[in-house]
Amino acid sequence: MARPPLTLAALATAAVPGLEVRAVRAHTRKSHGAFDAVLLRTTDDRMLVLRVPRSQSAESEQSADLVALRALTPGIRSRLPFEIPEFVGQAPIDGTRAVVTTFVPGAVRSADELTEHDGIATSVGLALAAVHALPSGFIADAGLSRQTADESHEAVVELIGRAADTGHLPAALLRRWEEATDDASLWRFRPTVVNGALAADSLLVDGDAVTGLIGWASLAQGDPARDLHWLLTSRGAAAERALDAYFGARAGEADGHLPQRALLYGELELAKWLLHGVEARDEEIIADAVGLLDGLVESVHDHSSEPLSPETGPILTVGDVERMLDETPRENLPREAGASLLTDSYDFSDLERREAGERDTAPFDATAPIPLDLSDWGDAAQSDDAAAGADAATDAQARRNAASS
């Protein structure tokens, strides 16, 4: 049973000595029913949030979030272009504890809304890049998790194995995911600071600007692609702009295979949902997960899903790529198809396919390879040439219109 707001307001005065509450109301942002939470206005016009966990898992999450917030010192916070909550106080209650933090203003938007147009998509890309650009030393100082590239790879292999052991994982997806884990080039990256559990509802916005980021329980050092998986499943028209802004802000520090790994992590969210259903012995969740996995199989076999492990040539430095771009003639460049973001819209009509110049879908072949391309993503700087920019914009729109997830 949920605790009344007035009871929680009284608890806040115990958690923060000298606190005087002027107004209180229920607060549900990013609680998902796991917390009793209220928004408090104090007599000195501060806005605070008090949350009390309603389960053991919620209590563990809150404890991890508290450790992360304390690790994010004022010096670290000053490097971020947005606000994050600050710890204010805590008090025991019914075998657990209530935690009071500052309130970060801003609205929650869906992934599609966060990539709806260039302005907000650019702010999203810059916000994610700022997190990944943080110096990583404080992660070790706070005793937070640190995962190497090899360990990230091993964790993915283990997750895929567990999903396969349930007997519910389609063979086509198992093959697709194993091909990605077998591609050594995909796992050559430099670990960064990561939020670790970042989703669209983690970001708070005001107009076209990201103003806050909440939910830091999984703060760690690891694969930056983990924070971008939700971005590659968005259907916003400017999703590619968010990735452009991200790569631009990382200034060559982001590896070229990050989009493929982010896509893999996005697909593995379905495997996690399946495992949750199996572990909870919930047939409804299992059936839902199986349906979602079957939908992903369809998108793979109709070639509307992007590759996870494309064939690649020699690994080039940013300087090498920039020189190649400078030396490439701009006239009569061949048009390139099939390099767009994954979205979660899987079905296009035959008319749309004909307008996009595609041939009719070939008969289903569960053993056929899936040749897909994301080679245009990477850390190379883009040319300022106007004609090339126009061609690139046209190509990107054509690819997006032809792609689905």
Side-chain angles (χ1 to χ4, degrees), residues 213-355:
L213 202 163
I214 57 177
W216 290 89
S218 298
L219 177 65
Q221 182 178 2
D223 188 351
R226 288 166 53 187
D227 285 347
L228 275 72
H229 73 82
W230 64 274
L231 187 60
L232 272 84
T233 61
S234 69
R235 292 176 294 181
E240 293 186 26
R241 177 58 194 138
L243 275 180
D244 285 342
Y246 174 85
F247 275 104
R250 294 295 311 281
E253 292 297 319
D255 68 283
H257 290 310
L258 184 147
Q260 280 95 352
R261 293 197 312 281
L263 180 55
L264 174 61
Y265 286 123
E267 294 181 5
L268 289 177
E269 289 298 303
L270 303 185
K272 291 180 181 179
W273 183 234
L274 171 63
L275 288 170
H276 171 65
V278 170
E279 292 166 0
R281 298 184 180 180
D282 190 319
E283 293 299 326
E284 185 175 348
I285 293 178
I286 293 174
D288 181 56
V290 169
L292 293 171
L293 290 166
D294 287 343
L296 180 56
V297 170
E298 291 179 10
S299 74
V300 169
H301 283 299
D302 69 12
H303 292 207
S304 62
S305 186
E306 291 291 354
L308 295 178
S309 182
E311 294 183 4
T312 60
I315 304 299
L316 302 178
T317 66
V318 176
D320 292 334
V321 175
E322 289 176 339
R323 285 191 292 274
M324 289 178 64
L325 289 174
D326 291 338
E327 296 168 0
T328 300
R330 302 299 179 184
E331 294 79 17
N332 303 318
L333 289 176
R335 297 180 65 84
E336 200 174 304
S340 64
L341 295 173
L342 172 74
T343 73
D344 56 281
S345 174
Y346 294 154
D347 298 322
F348 282 85
S349 67
D350 290 339
L351 176 60
E352 289 175 313
R353 289 193 174 95
R354 293 191 186 101
E355 288 177 345

